[in-house]
């Protein structure tokens, strides 16, 4: 069989694929993902002084306004902002980078920026005799490391089978071309 005869070529091509994938796997940088959970503050307005119960409760800022604020500032670029579990008060803010310190610093700046942004609204509503609960972080900034170990192994395995398949394909294609060339040469001689 031609595959057995050309096994050295197939092995060399497979090894080239494996070495390339191992080189890539060892040079890939880890990704750090950070997140923080914010509870958007509320404005409680009692429109009826005779009633002790609040009649209007609304968030200081809705999530779309918060996203718009963050998108207007380049220092808050590349954040993921989403509401948590159908709530209109809990907002998850995430960020990822190749540097752990950058992730933590970026999220700290975002939280501080949001609090500063909402400070004027809080003061305004407090002057209007409304009760205000300010926005606050309900979780610490969590930074996790994605080592991609299982994906790295999978990449090497895929490279092995890909190299094997490409090696066999090259050997068979080369043999087909050689046979075709030999047939043409023989027909031209005759």
């Amino acid at each position: 069989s031609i595959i057995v005869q050309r096994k050295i070529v197939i092995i060399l091509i497979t090894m080239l694929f494996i070495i390339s994938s191992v080189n890539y796997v060892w040079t890939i940088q880890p990704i750090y993902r950070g997140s923080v959970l914010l509870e958007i503050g509320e404005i409680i307005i009692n429109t009826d002084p005779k009633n002790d119960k609040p009649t209007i409760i609304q968030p200081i800022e809705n999530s779309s306004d918060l996203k718009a604020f963050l998108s207007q500032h380049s220092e808050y670029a590349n954040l993921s902002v989403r509401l948590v579990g159908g709530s209109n008060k809990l907002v998850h803010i995430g960020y990822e980078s190749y540097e752990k310190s950058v992730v933590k610093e970026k999220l700290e700046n975002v939280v501080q920026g949001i609090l500063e942004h909402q400070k004027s609204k809080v003061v305004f509503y407090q002057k209007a005799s409304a009760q205000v609960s300010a926005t606050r972080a309900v979780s610490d900034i969590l930074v996790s490391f994605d080592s991609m170990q299982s994906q790295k192994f999978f990449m090497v395995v895929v490279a092995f089978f890909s190299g094997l398949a490409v090696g066999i394909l090259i050997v068979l294609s080369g043999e087909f071309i050689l046979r075709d060339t030999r047939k043409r040469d023989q027909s031209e001689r005759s």
Side-chain angles (χ1 to χ4, degrees):
S1 160
I2 190 66
I3 294 175
V4 174
Q5 291 174 354
R6 307 270 190 226
K7 66 184 172 210
I8 299 298
V9 173
I10 295 171
I11 291 170
L12 289 174
I13 292 171
T14 303
M15 291 303 293
L16 178 68
F17 272 64
I18 291 172
I19 290 168
S20 298
S21 71
V22 167
N23 181 47
Y24 172 75
V25 164
W26 284 106
T27 59
I28 195 169
Q29 290 182 310
I31 297 173
Y32 293 94
R33 291 186 173 92
S35 64
V36 65
L37 192 61
L38 296 181
E39 181 181 48
I40 302 298
E42 290 181 324
I43 303 160
I44 303 168
I45 302 171
N46 190 345
T47 56
D48 183 6
K50 296 176 187 175
N51 188 356
D52 290 340
K53 295 181 182 175
T55 53
I56 298 175
I57 300 175
Q58 66 184 40
I60 292 175
E61 189 162 41
N62 64 41
S63 62
S64 56
D65 290 341
L66 184 59
K67 284 182 183 180
F69 164 74
L70 293 172
S71 67
Q72 291 171 358
H73 296 80
S74 61
E75 67 267 23
Y76 302 139
N78 302 321
L79 294 171
S80 69
V81 180
R82 64 179 173 81
L83 289 174
V84 176
S87 167
N88 65 346
K89 288 179 56 173
L90 291 177
V91 178
H92 176 271
I93 299 175
Y95 182 71
E96 58 185 48
S97 174
Y98 295 116
E99 296 180 45
K100 185 176 184 177
S101 61
V102 169
V103 173
K104 188 164 179 79
E105 182 181 333
K106 176 98 167 192
L107 289 174
E108 287 171 347
N109 291 340
V110 167
V111 170
Q112 197 59 37
I114 290 170
L115 297 178
E116 286 296 319
H117 165 69
Q118 292 182 352
K119 195 179 269 187
S120 62
K121 293 180 182 184
V122 169
V123 170
F124 171 79
Y125 282 109
Q126 284 175 336
K127 286 182 180 178
S129 299
Q131 293 177 342
V132 179
S133 64
T135 297
R136 63 188 181 96
V138 292
S139 73
D140 291 332
I141 294 173
L142 303 173
V143 179
S144 63
F145 168 70
D146 185 7
S147 67
M148 300 175 50
Q149 289 298 15
S150 61
Q151 294 171 347
K152 289 178 179 181
F153 176 75
F154 181 70
M155 288 179 198
V156 174
V157 169
V158 167
F160 168 77
F161 286 111
S162 299
L164 189 62
V166 168
I168 291 170
L169 183 64
I170 287 174
V171 165
L172 292 177
S173 299
E175 183 63 24
F176 176 76
I177 291 169
L178 282 174
R179 283 186 186 172
D180 189 48
T181 306
R182 288 179 195 150
K183 284 182 184 178
R184 283 188 192 161
D185 288 346
Q186 286 177 357
S187 65
E188 287 175 3
R189 288 181 193 162
S190 332

